[in-house]
Amino acid sequence: YAAFLIVALLGQLWPDRSFGATSLLLAAAIYAALVIVLPINCATHRRILLNFQLVIVAVSLLVFVDHAIQLAGRDMPNIEAIQPDKMIYHEFVYIQPLYYGSPYSKPNAIFLLEASTTSQLIATGLILELALFQRLRFLLLFGCALIATFAGTGLLLVVVSSPFLLPRLKPALIAAGVLAMAVAIALAAATGWFEVVSKRLDEHEHKGSSAYARFVAPVEIVGATIAGEPEGALFGVGAGNIERRPGIVWMAYAKIIVEYGLIVFVVWLAFFSHAVLSPGVPFIVAWLALVQFQPGVRAPAIPRDATPHPLVSPAARPLIK
């Protein structure tokens, strides 16, 4: 952590560039949490995970509640209608139709930011259940709820975790899983699941879509930074100076590379990976945290007449300070 802060600070001070001190301090505060270590025994850790699974049970049941309310002809519950606007995270799509023009919305378990968040949480519970507990009733509930979210983020998490998951599964459980998958495919076909998903397969190509904002835009801005001037690639455009785009919350790796450069990114990645993949925790648990912990950063826009940094594209309006 100290190495990350020192290199980040030097990278901001040494080149002749402007940077936001508040943004740098915010990064220092956020990642300081990873320095704290709370030693616990295996029994306590297992109890924490079991309690987490109970939370996922509640989330899964709320997914079906969302569907049941809509099938009864009512609108899905919307807590944004009763909470103050300043408490709403507008970069997430809380109420999202199954597809464009659909009368039904994707379930967000009422209290979560969007269906993708719901899908990720349920997938986390499913993977933990498969790897550590293997209770059939939980596996069935989580599997059905994951499909019922109509979101692909959780399924993607299952796919990227499967190489570490398969060695932990008993042959009988694998056979049961194959049978359950066949039943799930039949149910998905009967309910029109494949038709809904097929309408979103090309979503990443559309700049206003959730998939584009989550997966494509961060890669694009990182690629543009690396392909640009060597100084910008090595030292970034300055803390807080990443381009702000409507509807996009930048992932951590994109923000680090663009604002701090590749040198700081390498040190950050080493620090972050060491903190998350520390020994004593089952690897599958640490892997889930590593994949999912890519927090976006939201900041207020600066005045419209602000002058951009020379290394930032003139099209980057407005900037984040």
Side-chain angles (χ1 to χ4, degrees), residues 43-80:
T44 302
H45 187 260
R46 179 181 176 85
R47 188 166 67 250
I48 292 172
L49 293 179
L50 286 170
N51 287 335
F52 176 81
Q53 295 299 81
L54 293 179
V55 173
I56 304 306
V57 168
V59 170
S60 299
L61 293 176
L62 286 174
V63 165
F64 296 116
V65 169
D66 278 339
H67 281 303
I69 291 174
Q70 294 184 89
L71 291 175
R74 304 298 295 271
D75 292 334
M76 195 170 70
N78 183 357
I79 60 174
E80 288 191 346

Side-chain angles (χ1 to χ4, degrees), residues 21-32:
T22 303
S23 181
L24 183 60
L25 291 174
L26 180 60
I30 289 174
Y31 291 108

Side-chain angles (χ1 to χ4, degrees), residues 7 17-18 27 34 49 75 90 101 134 141 158 172 202 208 213 246 263 311:
V7 175
R17 70 182 75 248
S18 62
L34 295 180
L49 293 179
D75 292 334
H90 292 283
Q134 300 184 356
L141 175 62
V158 173
D202 64 342
I263 297 176
L311 293 179

Side-chain angles (χ1 to χ4, degrees), residues 52 68 137 145 162 208 264 267 269 283 315 317:
F52 176 81
R137 63 187 184 280
S162 58
V264 175
V267 182
L269 185 62
F283 178 78
R317 298 289 198 281

Side-chain angles (χ1 to χ4, degrees), residues 172-185:
L173 188 59
I174 295 177
V178 172
L179 179 61
M181 186 177 297
V183 175
I185 291 175

Side-chain angles (χ1 to χ4, degrees), residues 50-129:
L50 286 170
N51 287 335
F52 176 81
Q53 295 299 81
L54 293 179
V55 173
I56 304 306
V57 168
V59 170
S60 299
L61 293 176
L62 286 174
V63 165
F64 296 116
V65 169
D66 278 339
H67 281 303
I69 291 174
Q70 294 184 89
L71 291 175
R74 304 298 295 271
D75 292 334
M76 195 170 70
N78 183 357
I79 60 174
E80 288 191 346
I82 60 175
Q83 69 182 114
D85 184 73
K86 291 185 177 180
M87 294 178 61
I88 297 176
Y89 210 159
H90 292 283
E91 278 74 8
F92 288 84
V93 186
Y94 177 66
I95 301 293
Q96 182 180 10
L98 288 180
Y99 54 87
Y100 181 76
S102 171
Y104 300 107
S105 299
K106 299 170 69 172
N108 52 30
I110 301 177
F111 303 102
L112 300 178
L113 284 170
E114 62 180 20
S116 294
T117 307
T118 310
S119 175
Q120 290 179 60
L121 277 175
I122 296 175
T124 301
L126 177 62
I127 294 167
L128 290 178
E129 196 64 41

Side-chain angles (χ1 to χ4, degrees), residues 176-227:
V178 172
L179 179 61
M181 186 177 297
V183 175
I185 291 175
L187 290 174
T191 57
W193 188 88
F194 290 107
E195 181 181 357
V196 172
V197 172
S198 66
K199 294 177 181 293
R200 300 193 66 207
L201 287 178
D202 64 342
E203 186 183 85
H204 64 281
E205 299 177 1
H206 304 294
K207 291 191 174 183
S209 68
S210 174
Y212 177 87
R214 186 176 290 109
F215 300 114
V216 178
V219 175
E220 286 184 346
I221 198 167
V222 166
T225 299
I226 295 175

